[in-house]
């Protein structure tokens, strides 16, 4: 058993993708390992080693009442952590896994309570990232993992961001390159007669409804049932926030938003119109409105997917550039736009 990274002076091994077996070795011996997924980087421990799972909460500064997602290499492993898999959960997993979907199922009593914050349920996800899959197979055990950020901050979407959050707090960081989606997975609670989305992600409500037909798929906060807020503890905590204050604006309202931010060093995120993105070959140029000497930094996203992919990294870049205000355009709500709007609203403190 390796010693726990109790202090922030732990020596962290920085591993390239081909070293996934070495990363798995740290985890099997009770260590903490940061690993890539197609959504964001995760901070993993063996779900069946209660002490290792406890140390995740310490490394992140995470409230003990916020449960972790258990990551598996394939659907056939679900019964290692879940007591039962309702037919409609199986349909969803067959259609959308491996991929960015977490389903909340009844948990097996053998699973340590720390992994699920004492809840009778467990969040299960089968990631599609190729390095992640190899890592999970090499681990040979279900891997409990939250996003690899310190609690409340934006999730890391590449290994450099993960390193800034977790260097010295974990045994190893496995580099799998930039994450494809850039926003966390869809989290959905599976009930007998309905699915309730607790967190929006790349698998949208419409996509799930398309598979399930008559079983309703409800939007987050669409019912005022107090049991549901108990069922989604993550939504009680502040999330996804850069250090700078975030203010949102509707498309075409940038000037009004800039007026509000006057006097500050401001980072601006806009979404390029489709034709403008095409005209520049979908470029991601940084312009400086107001010309040289302007204190504004501008990041133009070429599509909603690019916006989702780059949001957290842009937040962190603006923080590093000393911005105290970030003005961010609200994208249309279709596709991953719904998840993006959710994260933007939370970053702006509007949840
Ligand atoms: O994409 C993702 O989901 C990433 C990667 C690493 O897989 N993970 C991630 O984990 O975002 P985390 O811990 O940052 O967010 C998990 C969310 C939290 O809001 C948590 O409350 C909720 O899922 N959750 C996990 N288990 C749950 C359970 N049994 N019941 C209700 N909500 C649960
Ligand atoms: Mg998180």
């Amino acid at each position: 058993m390796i010693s726990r990274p109790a202090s922030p002076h732990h020596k962290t091994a920085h591993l390239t993708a081909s070293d996934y077996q070495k990363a798995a070795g740290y985890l099997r011996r009770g260590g903490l390992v940061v690993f890539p997924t197609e959504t964001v980087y995760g901070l993993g421990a063996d779900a069946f080693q209660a002490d290792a799972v406890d140390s995740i909460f310490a490394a992140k500064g995470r409230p003990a009442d916020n449960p972790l997602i258990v990551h598996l290499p394939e659907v056939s492993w679900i019964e290692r952590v879940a007591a039962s898999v309702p037919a409609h959960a199986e349909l969803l997993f067959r259609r959308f896994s491996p991929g960015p979907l977490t389903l909340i199922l009844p948990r097996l009593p053998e699973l340590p309570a720390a992994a699920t914050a004492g809840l009778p349920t467990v969040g299960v996800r089968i990631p599609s990232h190729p390095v992640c899959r190899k890592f999970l197979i090499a681990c040979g055990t279900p891997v409990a993992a939250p996003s690899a950020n310190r609690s409340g901050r934006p999730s890391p979407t590449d290994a450099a961001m993960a390193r800034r959050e977790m260097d010295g707090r974990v045994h190893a960081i496995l580099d799998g390159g930039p994450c494809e989606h850039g926003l966390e997975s869809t989290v959905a609670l599976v009930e007998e007669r309905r699915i309730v989305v607790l967190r929006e992600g790349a698998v949208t409500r419409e996509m799930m409804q398309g598979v399930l037909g008559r079983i309703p798929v409800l939007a987050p906060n669409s019912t005022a049932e107090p049991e549901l807020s108990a069922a989604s503890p993550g939504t009680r905590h502040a999330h996804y926030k850069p250090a700078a204050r975030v203010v949102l604006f509707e498309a075409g309202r940038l000037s009004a938003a800039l007026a509000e931010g006057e006097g500050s060093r401001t980072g601006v995120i806009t979404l390029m119109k489709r034709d403008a993105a095409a005209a520049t070959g979908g470029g991601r140029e940084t312009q400086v409105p107001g010309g040289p000497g302007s204190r504004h930094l501008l990041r133009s996203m070429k599509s909603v997917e690019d916006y989702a992919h780059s949001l957290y990294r842009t937040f962190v870049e603006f923080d590093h550039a000393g911005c105290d205000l970030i003005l961010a355009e609200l994208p249309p709500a279709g596709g991953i736009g719904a998840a993006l709007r959710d994260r933007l609203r939370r970053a702006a403190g509007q949840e």
Side-chain angles (χ1 to χ4, degrees), residues 226-282:
E227 314 84 82
L228 281 183
S229 95
S232 56
T235 58
R236 287 198 296 267
H237 302 288
H239 264 91
Y240 321 114
K241 278 195 157 95
R245 184 166 70 97
V246 176
V247 173
L248 309 179
F249 64 94
E250 297 289 346
R253 305 285 302 154
L254 174 58
S255 323
L258 274 170
E260 174 175 347
E262 223 175 342
S264 309
R265 182 163 169 82
T266 304
V268 179
I269 306 176
T270 60
L271 180 58
M272 290 172 96
K273 299 276 168 297
R274 219 173 264 198
D275 41 350
T280 59

Side-chain angles (χ1 to χ4, degrees), residues 58-295:
K60 259 187 85 99
R62 182 176 178 102
D65 68 349
N66 197 355
L68 308 177
I69 293 172
V70 177
H71 298 71
L72 308 174
E74 50 183 276
V75 175
S76 64
W77 279 47
I78 294 176
E79 55 203 34
R80 295 195 187 195
V81 295
S84 63
V85 186
H88 41 291
E90 199 158 329
L91 273 178
L92 291 174
F93 270 138
R94 296 234 171 266
R95 174 66 185 79
F96 299 115
S97 284
L101 176 66
T102 300
L103 294 181
I104 310 294
L105 304 172
R107 71 175 254 241
L108 270 190
E110 292 83 350
L111 191 67
T116 69
L119 291 176
T121 53
V122 56
V124 177
R125 170 158 126 74
I126 298 130
S128 63
H129 190 295
V131 177
C132 179
R133 288 173 64 76
K134 286 185 191 165
F135 166 70
L136 291 175
I137 290 168
C139 286
T141 180
V143 172
S147 49
N149 50 288
R150 310 258 195 101
S151 204
R153 292 177 34 81
S155 303
T157 56
D158 62 32
M161 279 173 78
R163 185 174 185 152
R164 263 184 245 118
E165 294 291 307
M166 287 297 155
D167 199 16
R169 295 176 168 253
V170 298
H171 295 90
I173 297 178
L174 178 61
D175 187 342
C179 302
E180 177 190 347
H181 296 296
L183 297 181
E184 304 80 359
S185 64
T186 305
V187 178
L189 179 66
V190 177
E191 295 183 344
E192 206 178 317
R193 286 169 208 286
R194 62 181 191 177
I195 302 285
V196 185
V197 175
L198 302 179
R199 180 176 74 185
E200 308 212 61
V203 175
T204 64
R205 237 171 341 117
E206 292 71 24
M207 287 160 72
M208 289 193 272
Q209 193 67 75
V211 170
L212 294 180
R214 279 208 294 268
I215 295 170
V217 181
L218 304 186
N221 310 317
S222 59
T223 69
E225 299 162 43
E227 314 84 82
L228 281 183
S229 95
S232 56
T235 58
R236 287 198 296 267
H237 302 288
H239 264 91
Y240 321 114
K241 278 195 157 95
R245 184 166 70 97
V246 176
V247 173
L248 309 179
F249 64 94
E250 297 289 346
R253 305 285 302 154
L254 174 58
S255 323
L258 274 170
E260 174 175 347
E262 223 175 342
S264 309
R265 182 163 169 82
T266 304
V268 179
I269 306 176
T270 60
L271 180 58
M272 290 172 96
K273 299 276 168 297
R274 219 173 264 198
D275 41 350
T280 59
R284 306 168 160 205
E285 84 277 35
T286 300
Q287 305 156 1
V288 184
S294 160
R295 302 195 304 152

Side-chain angles (χ1 to χ4, degrees), residues 272 280 282-286 299-302 306 309-310 313:
M272 290 172 96
T280 59
R284 306 168 160 205
E285 84 277 35
T286 300
R299 181 80 156 75
S300 288
M301 306 297 185
K302 67 178 184 202
D306 179 38
H309 173 83
S310 310
R313 187 150 34 90

